[in-house]
Each structure stands twice: as C-alpha cells, then as structure tokens.
Amino acid sequence: MTFQRTAGAAHRQNHAIRRIIGVILVAAAITTGVLIAMPQQVSAAELGPGYQYRGQATSHLGGYRNPDGSTSYCINAGLPSAVGRETGDSGVVAEVNGLDPAAMVRLNLVLTRHGNTNDDNTAAAVAMAVWSIADGAAYDAEGGDVFVAGRAPQAQRVAIRELAADFRNEASAYVIPSGSASLALTIDPTNTALGWVDVAVQPASAAGTLTLVGGVFADTKSATMDGVSGTAHLPIRGTPTGDRAYRMSVTGQFQTDGGPAPTVHLYSTLGAQSLTAAGTGSLLVLSASAVDAADRLVPAITSVAQQAALVGETVIDTVKATGVPASGMLLTWAGYLQQLSLAAPTCTDKTRVFESTEPLRITADGEYSSEQFPVLDSHAGTLLWVATATVNGEVVAEGECGDPLERSVLSAVVHLPVVSG
Amino acid sequence: MTRRTVLAIAGGSAITAAAVVVASVVVLGIAHPQPHSTPSVEAPVVLTAIALEAAYLPPTPAELAALPEARYDAVIARLLQSPSSTVVAVSSTWSLATDVAVYGAGAAPAARLPALNFLGQPTVVVSIEHRDDWMLVLTPARRSLPSASGGSAPAQTAGWVRADALLDEQHLDEQVVVSVSARTISIVDSDQNGGPAQRSWPVGIGMAGTPTPTGVTGYLQERYFDPAQGQQQHRVQLTSLHSAAADEPFGGSDGGLIGIHYARASSGALSHGCIRLPAEAIDAIDALPLGTLVRLDP
C-alpha cells in the first residue's frame, strides 16, 4: 500500500524514496524485535471498514479483518498494503516499531477503545491515529492527516481528521491508573486480644483480600476477608497459639482494572504493512501489610488444687492469672468427681459436683482462689478441678480435665496407717 | 472346692510333690520348674499354691465377702511368702473391678483383695509372675508375726489371683532400690534390675533392734499426708512391706509397716524400720506411680 494524495503530482516523485525508506523501516522493525515472534498462522489480509481512494484496495484507509474477527490497522507508513498477502499471527507483543511503553499504551488504548468498529469514518480515523502513533515520523513525512484523509470521500475528510485528532488527544491525555493501599493494626488498650484493622485503598474500585496471622476478624471468625475496598475499620480478635505474648500481622492485596497494557496484537506481513489489533488489558495490583507495634498479652491461667481433704473439710483451687486485660476477666471453677475407677478423667455434667456460684471478676494478674467446696460423704474419690477464664463472654483460657495439679483427693475419715517411724 | 487340686509344698519335700503334679504345678523358690534359676532362699519355708484350671470354681459372693481382707494390718497365715528379691524383677500394676479372691496355701482361697483400698481409692495390684490363667501378686498383709515365728517373719506376702480379674495393665519403667548397708535409696530402670541408678540419695534406715528388712521386694501401696505423723508437707509412701523382726517396732497396731517418708534427720541407723528421706528424695519417690517395686537390698 502506498499513500496517494488527491492532488500534488510533485509528491509522486517521492514514491521511490518512500519505498526505500519503507524497506529500511521494515528492516529496522525486524532488528528491534517486532517480528521476533514466530507467526502462528497464515492468512490473507481482508479489507475491513473504511475507504479506498478510487476503489483501489491498496489505498485503503481503515481497518482489516483478522482471522479471529478482530480489526487491525497498518503501522508502517509508506509500506505496501497487506491486502492479498499472507499475514502471520505473531500474537501479543510488547513492542512494535521500537515504541516505548508509554507509546504502546497509547496505541493499545486507541485500538482497544475504538479499533473494533464497523463504522467507516471511525475505522479511517483509527487508522490515521494508529499510523501517527506507531510510525509518526514517516506518517508526517507522507503528509500527515491532510494527505491521508484524501483517500476518504470529500465530505467525510474533515470529520475523519477531527475524529483522528480526538483519538490522539484521548490517548495523549490518558493517565495510567495508579493507587495506594495502607493497613494499620490497633490493639484495644482494655483487652489486648481485641483490636482493629484500618484499611485505606485507592482507587475506590480496587478490592481485595485481607489475611490475618495470629487473629481472626471478629465478625466472621475467619482469618481472611474478601471484597475489602475503600476505607474500613474492622474489629479483630487474637488467636494466640500458646506463646505468652504474640504479635498479629495482616496483609492485603487489592486489584482493579489497570487500563490498556503496553501491548498490541501483531499480524506481520512479509514485505508489507504489519497490522495491529487491540492488545491486552492490565491489572493494577496494590499490596500492603502491617504488624502489631507491641506485644499482645495472652490471658492465661495456671491452677493448683488443694491436694487432699477429708469428708467434713473443704477444698479450694487456686488460679494464677496472667495477661489479665485491664477491662477485666471472669474466673469460674467447676469440680468433677471421679470415683472408684482408674479410667480416664471425665468432666461432664453427670460428674460435676461443684460450680462457682458467681464468676470472680479480676482486673490484674495475680492468684485467685475458688469458693470453698465442702466435702461430703458422697464425695469420696478425686475431685477434678477445671478453671475457666472468660473475657466478654469468650473463653480465653481453660484448665484441662484431669490435670494432675488440679486433683483433690477426697477421703472418708479413715485411719491412716502409721508407719514405723 | 473339692474339685480343685491344690498342692502345698513345704521346704525340701517339694521335689517329690512337684514330680507328681508335673506341668500343672506352679512352684516358686526351691521347687521352680527351672532348677538353674532357683534362687537362694533366706526364708526357711516357701509355700506354693497350685490351682488346676479345669477344676477352678470361683467363690460365691458370700464366700468372697467372708474372706479376710488382705489389708496392711492383717495377718493371714495361708498367704504365701513372697519370693526373694532376686526373683522379683519385672512387674505390672493392675486395678480391680471387684474384690477378688487370693489363693495361697491350701485349696480354699486365703484372702480377699478389695477393689478399693483403705482410702477408698482403687487398689493397685502388683503382679510378679503369670502362669496360665493365674497371676502371682504381692499382697499388703502379713502371713505371720515375728513374735509367733521365732522372731523373724516374712516382710512381704504374695498370692495367686485369677488373671482375668486384673484390669488396666501398666508396665512400670522404674524401681526403687534401697541399699540398707550403704544407706542409700535409688531409682533404677525396671529393665535393668539392679542396674545403674538414675538418681540416688542417702537415707536413714532401721536401728539395730528394729532393722529394716532386707532381701525382699515390696511395692508402693499408697501415699498420703498425715499431720499426725508429722507428714503434712510430703506424703507418706506406704509400702507393702512389714518389719521382719518385730510385730510393732513403733508401737500401735498397724502391722509394723515399712514406710518411706520425709524426715529432717535422714541419715544413719535411726528409724524403727522405716526409710527416712530428704525432701528431694521423697518428692522423687512421690512422683513414681503406685505399685512401683521397692527392693530392699542388704
């Protein structure tokens, strides 16, 4: 395909020069990698929407139909038309004609937003915009929009030129999307097991997933939360795994449409115009993380029961509490009776013989005793104590049924054998 | 009970009797079926009971209830003298679902082992030998008083119980060994009977007139605090052993019990047969499971 003006024979004298330049440009394109991708299929380029000067297919101003139904456009000003020639699909490429990524984005934007059209004027304007972006110097040397628009009917030329200018302006004004994401962890000063994650993500369209380590979201009791976007203030709860103190961390990854990528779909034509169609889109991916600035103390209890008592006496259990939140923690005790068996300790409603009449509220670390349990005749056996600590109704620490230190041997009044001193 | 064939062997006459009963005979001490392993026996008489499986007829509940309880303060003549320490090596502990009959000398059951002991706790039964459907267990009672036996009585008794009456077998990994002459107490691996001690402490033992028995193995029967005996900080470790030299070397009527207990003065020959330990040692013994063997070496 060659450019043809509707007037100005002097320009015809330059055809030979332009052909030479075109060959040089193809060679340059090959060396810069435009054609590095091996063509995957071969097909004859077919005319798409647009105009031909005096009905000549080789002076087509517009798009070409690709085998996959998309519309592509020439990118080599001055080279012969691809019509009737074998065209190979080189796939999506990140560079044509040595364009930098910003130019590739502009090229892809025009092709993506306006390239797939059946409108002749639009296709003609896209062809002009693509040529001017992809091969600006050669395009201008050919005479630019005024010259190329001459292939269209007289009545459409102004409109096509204005449309092409709009497309170029749109591409030039396009700002590649950017954003930010931040996360913050706050520890509830009254209860270090609680707190919040504060989220701030821009743009508002960005959404993603938060993942907690060492905690869960209070509402869902899950360590992950999907669909988080914009700003959020999310209550959390620690899930320590045994250490006396721990730090929670949170990570978040968000994404949104990143607009056209710096790619185009290339259809290469040996010895003639290469064609490009819309490339790929991109994602804007944002990530953030945060770690507790201070330790979260784990409420914990260790308990020691009175070892033995006789019928008629009383027994107690003593809890040493640590990591007690300033907002308070409740201690309760239960006692389970194990009689006449070496079987595994059993703490069930059936074996329970003692419960705290009311929880003991504590607000500081220390040692605390249960109410006294009076030992009756029917209690001979072993009393298994289980102490429980709760905060805001949630069990934060609990003893283990059968803990060797949590056993009180309850005996009937018996004569204890006297040994030989 | 007449269908049960029971053989009592006394001293050297056992050889002839054992030859008659052959394979069904369970013999301890001098009449053991494997002569090469026959231990030296300090006690003058070793009694052995044999119950033939085919004819076994369990006692009725009434018969069982009427049997004397093999308690720490009981004296039951038809119990067996326990084998010497050199025979008792590997043991297991068991619990009982119900009271069980104990067979010793003679055809009839000799005693009853209760499912719950004097504290109302599950009785820990220690077996030292298994023959067919029978298990030889150590018992906490005496079979005679020193005063009625020429001044010397067995410190430990044993008896046979039906094996299927024993539940929840536990193998004991450790033993307690007391060297009366060295005045030490040690914890050793059960698999290395008499092997190197894991831990060892000096102890106080019986005075010359009230000696700690030797050459015998008992077990930790129970443990308890008893302020009346000055033991409110460390539990008394009541063994199944008794004084071999005196009925009640410390007075009272509890059977001349050999205890292992804490004492501030815990070195030398100063007790009435008990083994006195420092705090660290008694805490270590207290951590061992009930039923742990206690071997008293000369």
Side-chain angles (χ1 to χ4, degrees), chain B:
Chain B
M1 302 301 280
T2 55
R3 286 178 291 161
R4 186 184 305 123
T5 301
V6 176
L7 176 64
I9 304 168
S13 63
I15 302 301
T16 304
V20 173
V21 182
V22 196
S24 62
V25 177
V26 177
V27 182
L28 289 176
I30 60 172
H32 196 279
Q34 296 174 299
H36 65 273
S37 63
T38 300
S40 61
V41 177
E42 295 89 5
V45 176
V46 176
L47 295 180
T48 303
I50 306 96
L52 296 182
E53 165 63 21
Y56 175 68
L57 187 65
T60 65
E63 290 172 332
L64 184 63
L67 292 170
E69 179 181 330
R71 220 168 82 121
Y72 61 85
D73 55 354
V75 179
I76 303 171
R78 288 193 294 118
L79 288 175
L80 306 175
Q81 177 178 344
S82 177
S84 74
S85 288
T86 52
V87 173
V88 180
V90 178
S91 65
S92 293
T93 66
W94 309 80
S95 61
L96 302 172
T98 61
D99 294 2
V100 298
V102 183
Y103 293 85
R112 172 176 54 87
L113 267 180
L116 300 179
N117 68 14
F118 60 90
L119 287 183
Q121 297 299 307
T123 296
V124 176
V125 181
V126 177
S127 67
I128 58 173
E129 189 171 351
H130 187 185
R131 292 293 177 97
D132 299 323
D133 294 331
W134 294 89
M135 201 75 82
L136 184 64
V137 301
L138 300 179
T139 56
R142 274 173 157 169
R143 66 184 296 270
S144 64
L145 295 173
S147 61
S149 309
S152 177
Q156 177 64 51
T157 59
W160 292 93
V161 299
R162 296 290 291 181
D164 58 7
L166 304 180
L167 307 173
D168 304 328
E169 181 180 16
Q170 304 288 326
H171 178 71
L172 297 176
D173 296 328
E174 296 170 315
Q175 291 185 13
V176 174
V177 175
V178 176
S179 171
V180 173
S181 59
R183 296 173 185 171
T184 60
I185 190 167
S186 305
I187 297 174
V188 304
D189 287 342
S190 290
D191 294 337
Q192 301 177 28
N193 186 30
Q198 301 172 3
R199 291 166 286 176
S200 193
W201 299 268
V203 297
I205 46 90
M207 296 178 286
T210 53
T212 301
T214 60
V216 64
T217 296
Y219 63 95
L220 296 176
Q221 176 186 176
E222 188 51 278
R223 48 174 62 108
Y224 45 86
F225 295 100
D226 188 2
Q229 298 182 66
Q231 301 297 327
Q232 54 272 62
Q233 297 297 324
H234 305 278
R235 292 192 285 190
V236 173
Q237 310 292 313
L238 178 64
T239 76
S240 59
L241 294 153
H242 303 261
S243 170
D247 297 353
E248 297 288 353
F250 198 55
S253 57
D254 284 341
L257 299 168
I258 302 300
I260 302 174
H261 61 80
Y262 166 77
R264 188 168 299 170
S266 59
S267 178
L270 38 65
S271 79
H272 297 79
C274 278
I275 299 146
R276 297 184 179 185
L277 272 60
E280 178 190 344
I282 195 67
D283 289 345
I285 302 299
D286 191 81
L288 298 173
L290 288 179
T292 296
L293 292 181
V294 177
R295 198 179 84 203
L296 303 182
D297 286 352

Side-chain angles (χ1 to χ4, degrees), chain A residues 59-359:
Chain A
S59 62
H60 180 63
L61 176 62
Y64 297 81
R65 292 300 185 198
N66 300 317
D68 63 3
S70 63
T71 304
S72 58
Y73 295 85
C74 295
I75 59 168
N76 306 113
L79 284 188
S81 170
V83 173
R85 297 173 184 259
E86 291 181 346
T87 302
D89 185 350
S90 297
V92 174
V93 298
E95 182 188 342
V96 291
N97 292 359
L99 296 179
D100 63 26
M104 289 294 291
V105 168
R106 294 200 302 275
L107 187 61
N108 191 14
L109 183 141
V110 172
L111 290 165
T112 299
R113 293 188 178 178
H114 308 292
N116 285 316
T117 179
N118 292 318
D119 179 69
D120 292 335
N121 276 10
T122 300
V126 169
M128 293 163 60
V130 165
W131 256 324
S132 62
I133 294 171
D135 201 6
Y139 182 73
D140 290 342
E142 288 284 352
D145 286 355
V146 173
F147 173 70
V148 174
R151 297 180 184 182
Q154 180 71 38
Q156 303 300 328
R157 290 173 187 168
V158 172
I160 290 170
R161 286 164 53 191
E162 290 177 351
L163 198 52
D166 289 344
F167 292 163
R168 274 191 296 268
N169 291 337
E170 180 186 10
S172 296
Y174 177 69
V175 177
I176 295 173
S178 64
S180 64
S182 69
L183 299 172
L185 278 169
T186 305
I187 300 173
D188 186 335
T190 66
N191 181 355
T192 63
L194 306 178
W196 301 269
V197 173
D198 285 290
V199 184
V201 182
Q202 291 284 351
S205 59
T209 300
L210 296 177
T211 302
L212 285 169
V213 175
V216 295
F217 292 97
D219 293 343
T220 63
K221 295 183 172 56
S222 170
T224 60
M225 179 174 284
D226 297 324
V228 179
S229 63
T231 59
H233 183 66
L234 305 169
I236 55 176
R237 173 180 295 281
T239 55
T241 56
D243 290 338
R244 171 72 177 77
Y246 67 105
R247 294 193 182 195
M248 206 183 300
S249 63
V250 61
T251 57
Q253 190 165 68
F254 311 88
Q255 63 183 38
T256 187
D257 181 10
T263 62
V264 294
H265 197 147
L266 179 68
Y267 298 88
S268 54
T269 314
L270 190 61
Q273 292 275 349
S274 288
L275 307 173
T276 55
T280 55
S282 68
L283 287 175
L284 173 62
V285 178
L286 306 166
S287 60
S289 63
V291 179
D292 279 337
D295 286 343
R296 294 174 187 265
L297 299 179
V298 180
I301 57 173
T302 56
S303 311
V304 179
Q306 182 177 327
Q307 287 191 312
L310 296 173
V311 169
E313 297 179 341
T314 59
V315 285
I316 61 169
D317 186 59
T318 301
V319 163
K320 182 178 182 181
T322 56
V324 177
S327 59
M329 184 166 84
L330 298 181
L331 294 178
T332 57
W333 284 264
Y336 303 87
L337 190 60
Q338 182 175 9
Q339 292 178 298
L340 310 180
S341 171
L342 291 177
T346 304
C347 298
T348 65
D349 290 347
K350 285 186 176 180
T351 61
R352 187 171 57 237
V353 295
F354 170 75
E355 275 187 301
S356 300
T357 56
E358 63 181 49

